[in-house]
Amino acid sequence: MMSWHPQYRSSKFRHVYGKPASKEKCYDCVPITCSVHDNQFCAVNPHFIAVVTECAGGGAFLVIPIHQTGKLDPHYPRVCGHRGNVLDIKWSPFDDFVIASCSEDATVKIWDIPKHLLTRNITSARKELLGHARRVGLIEWHPTASNIIFSTGYDYKIMIWNLDTKEPVIQNPVKTISSHRDVILSMSFNTDGSLLATACRDRKIRLVDPRSGAILQEASYKNHRVNKVLFLGNMKKLLSTGTSRWNNRQIALWEQGDLSVPLVEEDLDGSSGLLFPFYDSDTHMLYVVSKGDGNIRYYEISAEKPYLNYLMEYRSHLPQKGIGIMPKRGLDVSACEIFRFYKLIPGKSLIEPVSMIVPRQSESYQEDIYPMTAGAQPALTAQEWLNGINKGPVLVSLRPGSEILNSLPQFPEKEPSPLSTESNWYQGSTERTAMKEIQKQSGIQEKRGQKKVEERSQGDRQMQLSNGFDLFECPPPKTENEVWLWESMWAWGENYIQLAKCANFRCFVWA
């Protein structure tokens, strides 16, 4: 017999809630691509948001300064050097002013983005990678080695490129992996980049040695048709999204050492939209974003059974076509923000930021939810990684004003080429700029009470729904009494939740 009261786990992230940005903090009038390709179409870093856009006669994407919210000028400059539609874009993890793009024209291009606002279209790339015979659908930067990028296309090949050269056009990758027999839908690295997981259209997950190209493991499980795969940090587990044999949307958790049968399978719903998984190794939280609806489910991953612990679901009536995520070093730590999404809503030509917030009363820095995290400094040079060295990411603290910790000596500088001088200057200053941005943001943060008064006065409250609640009519619990009442209402049913929405939540807290 099933217990009436749900079993609760002790977790500091149990009451995490999603908070959409107000209308003036969204990006409006953005011509989002109409492509049906199953990619995110958006890439974000602490300085810029890049989004694939519609473009006649070729492919293009927009690069918008992160603080330039509101309506976008219809004549805003674009990055438009591809001859075919742009299918994927990714910012360099170690240089906030370098972005890679791939296209239906079978090329990968590396672009330098100027520090100042764009005044004209960018048409010439710093580097062009030529090697694929068909369109290139996916690119991924190596997580710890500088200037190493992976690309895969509809020729079923994965190519590894070393950008640490002076040639503007690179025609020969340092390695080509040709062991797949169909289109690769997803690629994911483990923390130090020594293993690569792939999801293929033949419905199989493969674990690959990225240097040798050897297939270390191959899943042969027939009941889960995989679309996306994701390494879960250093937990030695993988997470995949796909469909069950009955066409329900499904997530599956796998042991890295045994891909024969998943540890956990969970059916979500019967919708047809793709599921994008995102994992935060600092908080051990998994976010599953639905394409075609406005929902974001989130879970906590544990090393022991039941492994996958459901927390909550953010719901919105605005469906997303793609999604971008902000790196941890770009979050607002003064607001206890632990993750931030950027939803692409093509029906409204809108990009809407959604922040995941841990409700805390104190406005001081919360050490327990912000452990040391990966910074913007590479742990290896490209050649060191190609020579077989593995190193984890260089960790930094998110505390405002803190310096880089565990930093490595600076790599000896090479004589820059005329095309890359500006980029190299940015490479040295990226981390300092990011830290200044964090300090600036924390310095201008108003008190939380003032923010609530301002937000309460805004007219478009219908867009401020999170997890089915109005955050300002029913604020998240902050005291032990409120947490107890929240849990009781959750156990008793929807009627009490509706009652709490109609009357002010805090009116119930007498003790």
Side-chain angles (χ1 to χ4, degrees), residues 281-306:
S281 58
D282 298 337
T283 60
H284 303 295
M285 284 183 65
L286 169 74
Y287 302 87
V288 180
V289 180
S290 307
K291 182 179 180 181
D293 58 52
N295 300 344
I296 301 175
R297 297 173 176 88
Y298 40 105
Y299 305 77
E300 196 168 6
I301 304 294
S302 57
E304 300 173 352
K305 289 184 178 180

Side-chain angles (χ1 to χ4, degrees), residues 21-30 49 64-73 342 350-351 353:
S22 58
K23 190 172 183 179
E24 59 269 18
K25 293 183 180 178
C26 296
Y27 306 82
D28 203 358
C29 302
V30 181
I49 176 170
I64 308 169
I66 203 73
H67 299 299
Q68 189 178 324
T69 54
K71 289 188 176 181
L72 186 72
D73 185 341
Y342 288 79
L350 186 74
I351 303 176

Side-chain angles (χ1 to χ4, degrees), residues 412-423:
E413 295 186 0
K414 298 188 176 182
E415 183 180 351
S417 65
L419 291 173
S420 60
T421 303
E422 189 177 12
S423 171

Side-chain angles (χ1 to χ4, degrees), residues 43-47 89-101 110-111 126 139-150 161 163 189-193 325-330 373-380 392-396 404 411 423 426-432 434:
V44 187
N45 69 26
H47 291 90
I89 48 176
K90 294 282 169 57
W91 288 104
S92 167
F94 310 120
D95 191 334
D96 288 340
F97 300 92
V98 172
I99 189 170
S101 63
I110 313 298
W111 308 86
R126 170 159 53 110
I139 46 178
E140 289 288 345
W141 293 89
H142 193 276
T144 60
S146 63
N147 291 320
I148 292 289
I149 190 168
F150 285 56
W161 306 88
L163 307 181
F189 286 99
N190 63 347
T191 304
D192 63 4
I325 60 169
M326 174 67 76
K328 293 300 284 286
R329 55 195 173 88
T373 191
Q377 183 176 346
L380 297 165
V394 177
L395 301 180
V396 299
I404 299 177
F411 302 132
S423 171
Y426 290 141
Q427 178 78 24
S429 64
T430 301
E431 187 62 40
R432 293 193 298 274

